[in-house]
Amino acid sequence: MALKENSKITPVIGLQWGDEGKGKGVARIASSLSKNDLIARFQGGNNAGHTIWHKNKCYVFKLIPSGVFGKAQIHLGAGMVIDPFAFKKETLTISKETPFLKRISVSPHAVLVIPTHLLLDSIGELKKGNNKIGSTGRGIGPAYTDLVGRNALRVGDIFQNDFQKRYKLLTEQHKKILVNIYNYKIDAREFKDKEKNFFLGVKFLKTLLIINSEKIVSETLNRGNKVIAEGAQGTLLDVRFGNYPFVTSSHTIASGVGTGLGVSPVKIGGAIGIFKAYVTKVGEGPFPTELGGEKSAVWCRDKKFVYEKEIFPNPNLNSKDEFEQGIALRKAGNEIGAVTGRLRRTGWLDIPLLNFAIKINNATDLVMTKLDVLDGLKNLKVCTHYIVNSPRQGGVNKKTQEILFDLARAKIKCVYKSFPVWKGKLSDYGKKLPSEALTYIKFLEKTLGAKIIYIGTGPEEHHVVERYW
Ligand code: GDP
Ligand code: IMO
Ligand code: MG
């Protein structure tokens, strides 16, 4: 069949450090798709937490694509790592009310996350001490390590006669690392339970349609139907182009769609790039515009949400103390990790990083979420440039919008531009935006060279203002 040249995949990609609101964005697109269209995840695993509101209920999807409540087919692609038991549990949370299992398929190439991967991840992080990444502990890194080390078990392997044998072999290898290198004592009973669950998950996987990603994607495109590739994590967490080593272990950028779904790059269209009106980050690593800087980073590492609420019951969003302002922003945006419940670090929008993310993903359309969170602020700030002190250039200070190779070690100072914030709440203005918000949006569009197609004004699907400016 001749390829329809115009049919391209639309990647939906996070432009920051994850949690930009991709889930809501995909669910919104999904509501207009037909049963012949396709929504596919192409990387990551249940380190993702994509929140959507459906019929007044809040769901957090980790492995299942966020468009599950629409009509489209859904696919877990070749570039993913799948914890079978976590997947089974997740499907149970929605399958009763939405019989979607007939619409779901999984790639045989996706990597299985096995119980020892979870231990290697969490114990490995503990052993790193101060150098930890702040992983979600879902076994993602070790599972991808096995893939590139050519040891991994993949979904297609579960149908082979030697699956049990290969599982045992890999588990034994991992146990040697845990016991001999990490000095970890495995709780035999606990581990047995985990294995039991793993095999329940495998049994569940066997009941689903297993189909090559490249086949289902190309068939959908060839029919002239739409394919949405739902990104997980965010651009700055990409294993190659993110702030290495404070990254996840997959390719989160739009190019990842190529290897994650087995399609040629020419089949990948312009991306929809999603970003927050400010920035958040969970886990370790550099964050130039973080409110409260290092103090916030340490606080978020150590403090639990409840504890923060006790100490700062009413943080002031307009506080002169940026650390307190960061806490207030976290409270206003409910910035608590959807997967791990950790405090998300908060800061101002960072144009150099956003610019980079837009370019590397070919994000032709942008979505800005959570503008409503800035209600009540007197002035918002945006980092327009960095001042970099470069030892290689004789220690002179240089103003730049360039992305830096090693953000963690670079000596940079952020240059900010301030914007006055609207009076009252965004919701008071209906489907229009106050003039202050429009000034901010137009500044961003001009600076970033891409158009914002809609603005998020609340967590639910209808909480948006479509582009009218
Ligand atoms: P994802 O990982 O990119 O899908 O994002 P998460 O679901 O982890 O985090 C985004 C959070 O913001 C979720 O709690 C959403 O319900 C919420 N959210 C999304 N868009 C908006 C918005 O425009 N305004 C507000 N207030 N909340 C939003
Ligand atoms: P969604 O799809 C935010 C972060 C972790 C950690 C680093 C590595 O909801 O946007 P990993 O478990 O992948 O080895 O952790 O990446 N991280 C995320 N941060 N949103 C996510 O997903 C994330 N997935 C991983 O906090 O810093
Ligand atoms: Mg999330």
Side-chain angles (χ1 to χ4, degrees):
M1 195 195 298
L3 286 178
K4 288 192 170 62
E5 279 304 318
N6 290 336
S7 303
K8 297 211 173 177
I9 301 173
T10 305
V12 178
I13 305 287
L15 298 179
Q16 293 158 328
W17 274 289
D19 304 327
E20 300 90 347
K22 299 174 291 292
K24 175 181 153 184
V26 170
R28 205 176 142 74
I29 298 169
S31 59
S32 65
L33 298 182
S34 81
K35 67 178 184 12
N36 293 321
D37 296 323
L38 180 74
I39 302 175
R41 278 272 305 267
F42 60 93
Q43 46 73 230
N46 59 337
N47 48 349
H50 297 177
T51 315
I52 69 161
W53 283 83
H54 178 73
K55 295 188 179 161
N56 292 326
K57 221 170 137 183
C58 181
Y59 296 84
V60 181
F61 293 122
K62 291 155 187 165
L63 289 158
I64 299 174
S66 305
V68 66
F69 292 123
K71 294 192 193 88
Q73 303 301 307
I74 52 180
H75 181 68
L76 277 68
M80 288 186 74
V81 289
I82 299 176
D83 176 332
F85 186 60
F87 183 37
K88 179 177 190 281
K89 272 204 309 197
E90 194 176 328
T91 58
L92 287 177
T93 60
I94 47 171
S95 57
K96 280 196 198 92
E97 48 213 272
T98 306
F100 71 99
L101 291 176
K102 287 204 179 78
R103 286 188 285 124
I104 200 165
S105 62
V106 183
S107 162
H109 297 105
V111 169
L112 292 172
V113 176
I114 70 171
T116 38
H117 283 143
L118 279 93
L119 286 176
L120 285 170
D121 199 5
S122 49
I123 309 304
E125 279 274 273
L126 273 180
K127 294 287 165 189
K128 278 187 178 160
N130 287 342
N131 296 323
K132 70 176 179 177
I133 303 299
S135 136
T136 59
R138 299 299 186 271
I140 308 300
Y144 278 118
T145 303
D146 272 340
L147 174 72
V148 292
R150 293 159 294 184
N151 288 318
L153 288 168
R154 299 179 296 165
V155 170
D157 293 324
I158 63 179
F159 300 99
Q160 307 292 333
N161 290 336
D162 62 352
F163 178 65
Q164 290 271 354
K165 199 169 130 199
R166 289 181 58 201
Y167 167 83
K168 272 208 182 103
L169 204 67
L170 187 57
T171 298
E172 286 313 314
Q173 281 177 21
H174 291 161
K175 280 185 175 169
K176 276 190 193 138
I177 300 173
L178 285 162
V179 175
N180 299 338
I181 298 179
Y182 292 161
N183 292 322
Y184 179 71
K185 194 172 174 324
I186 299 169
D187 181 326
R189 173 121 44 103
E190 208 178 282
F191 190 73
K192 218 171 163 190
D193 285 346
K194 295 216 164 89
E195 284 194 313
K196 202 173 127 203
N197 288 338
F198 171 76
F199 282 104
L200 284 175
V202 167
K203 197 171 159 197
F204 167 70
L205 265 180
K206 283 184 173 165
T207 64
L208 300 179
L209 174 65
I210 309 294
I211 182 170
N212 283 354
S213 298
E214 71 278 14
K215 182 170 158 65
I216 191 163
V217 169
S218 62
E219 282 177 0
T220 309
L221 290 176
N222 289 348
R223 280 197 307 267
N225 286 105
K226 296 192 179 92
V227 178
I228 306 296
E230 175 177 346
Q233 290 79 54
T235 302
L236 304 172
L237 288 170
D238 181 90
V239 66
R240 198 182 309 272
F241 295 100
N243 304 130
Y244 192 87
F246 302 100
V247 292
T248 189
S249 299
S250 66
H251 286 294
T252 60
I253 56 176
S255 320
V257 174
T259 51
L261 294 178
V263 291
S264 154
V266 299
K267 293 276 121 195
I268 305 170
I272 298 178
I274 308 210
F275 69 101
K276 274 181 198 173
Y278 48 97
V279 180
T280 63
K281 177 171 175 45
V282 242
E284 304 301 314
F287 182 174
T289 61
E290 181 164 18
L291 276 158
E294 183 60 20
K295 189 175 171 189
S296 158
V298 172
W299 175 266
C300 291
R301 185 182 303 149
D302 293 344
K303 301 290 179 289
K304 292 273 176 295
F305 182 51
V306 184
Y307 187 54
E308 178 166 285
K309 272 206 296 198
E310 270 172 27
I311 299 183
F312 291 93
N314 293 305
N316 180 1
L317 198 55
N318 291 300
S319 172
K320 290 216 159 46
D321 174 6
E322 290 198 337
F323 174 68
E324 183 183 350
Q325 205 175 17
I327 291 176
L329 191 56
R330 177 155 53 247
K331 187 175 179 206
N334 191 24
E335 296 296 356
I336 310 298
V339 173
T340 54
R342 287 179 290 174
L343 299 178
R344 291 177 182 156
R345 299 155 66 189
T346 52
W348 300 118
L349 198 70
D350 185 326
I351 298 274
L353 292 182
L354 196 52
N355 233 336
F356 161 75
I358 289 168
K359 295 208 168 67
I360 202 166
N361 290 300
N362 183 27
T364 46
D365 288 337
L366 305 180
V367 171
M368 179 160 77
T369 62
K370 305 193 95 161
L371 190 61
D372 56 301
V373 173
L374 305 183
D375 286 350
L377 198 64
K378 286 202 178 79
N379 289 295
L380 66 85
K381 279 166 68 175
V382 183
C383 166
T384 55
H385 295 83
Y386 301 144
I387 302 278
V388 186
N389 187 286
S390 164
R392 281 172 62 192
Q393 293 175 356
V396 286
N397 287 336
K398 205 178 116 203
K399 197 173 171 187
T400 180
Q401 271 196 334
E402 290 285 306
I403 188 86
L404 301 163
F405 169 70
D406 191 343
L407 201 52
R409 286 189 182 79
K411 288 198 176 72
I412 60 170
K413 219 172 136 275
C414 293
V415 181
Y416 290 100
K417 185 174 165 61
S418 285
F419 290 84
V421 173
W422 47 95
K423 299 272 173 306
K425 294 181 168 187
L426 275 190
S427 55
D428 300 337
Y429 296 79
K431 287 291 170 194
K432 296 277 182 228
L433 291 168
S435 59
E436 294 85 350
L438 280 179
T439 305
Y440 177 45
I441 289 162
K442 286 180 182 165
F443 165 80
L444 291 178
E445 288 190 332
K446 192 160 172 232
T447 311
L448 299 168
K451 69 172 191 298
I452 297 177
I453 54 171
Y454 69 83
I455 302 287
T457 56
E460 295 180 43
E461 217 178 292
H462 63 276
H463 288 147
V464 297
V465 173
E466 297 277 357
R467 183 187 176 82
Y468 66 90
W469 48 93

